[in-house]
Amino acid sequence: RYIINGERIIEAILSKEPNNSSILSYKAAFLGFRIALSNFKAITLGVKSIKLSNRAYQINPNCFNTNLEKANILNYSPKFVGGDKNEALKYYLKALNIYLSQHILKEDWNYLSLRATIINLMIELKEYNSAKKELDLLLLEFPNFKWAKDEISPNLKLLIK
């Protein structure tokens, strides 16, 4: 129900602004949600999602949502269809830099989720020192961020030992 409602909103905006890179990125993300609900559609919807994401990036390579979605596709797609976690990290970091340059409010869930995603990906890539540095900075800024404090931190400590 929420996906259908979201897609209606996306299509309404795109009918007026067909080159809105941020909304094209949301459309790509919503295709990813559909894939998560039904893996049988992964091939056809995945190709559409990648094409939309690439189009959004061509329109505006300095859009937060565009870089975030490009990173998500690279991070969560299998290698055989172009998934690349190292490349995903580059786009996540670019999205973070864009966000920091455009936003004053850091208590936004997008910001916290992105920071946690970057740390988790660094851990997955076995970049433990970079992950620890990022985690320490995040917890310094948000000492009560439960996800980082109670889940990411203990897992990273086990890996570093």
Side-chain angles (χ1 to χ4, degrees), residues 26 64-65 68 96 99-100 102-116 138 141-142 145 147:
Y26 278 121
F64 170 78
N65 287 335
L68 179 63
L96 178 61
Y99 188 92
L100 291 172
Q102 296 177 352
H103 292 79
I104 297 168
L105 179 68
K106 291 183 185 172
E107 289 80 13
D108 179 353
W109 176 247
N110 286 314
Y111 175 73
L112 294 173
S113 176
L114 176 57
R115 295 283 305 272
L138 180 59
E141 191 173 2
F142 297 97
F145 183 26
W147 183 13

Side-chain angles (χ1 to χ4, degrees), residues 45-59:
L45 294 182
V47 169
K48 287 180 185 178
S49 181
I50 290 167
K51 285 181 180 179
L52 278 168
S53 176
N54 288 338
R55 179 174 162 219
Y57 191 81
Q58 287 175 340
I59 292 169

Side-chain angles (χ1 to χ4, degrees), residues 14 34 67-68 71 83 93 98 108 120 122 130 136 145:
L14 286 176
R34 287 196 173 276
N67 282 276
L68 179 63
L93 292 171
I98 292 167
D108 179 353
N120 279 326
M122 286 175 169
S130 296
D136 290 346
F145 183 26

Side-chain angles (χ1 to χ4, degrees), residues 25 53 57 60-74 88 90-96 98:
S25 296
S53 176
Y57 191 81
N60 186 356
N62 295 311
C63 171
F64 170 78
N65 287 335
T66 299
N67 282 276
L68 179 63
E69 189 53 31
K70 197 155 183 60
N72 284 335
I73 289 171
L74 288 163
K90 292 176 189 174
Y91 285 102
Y92 282 132
L93 292 171
K94 184 176 178 185
L96 178 61
I98 292 167

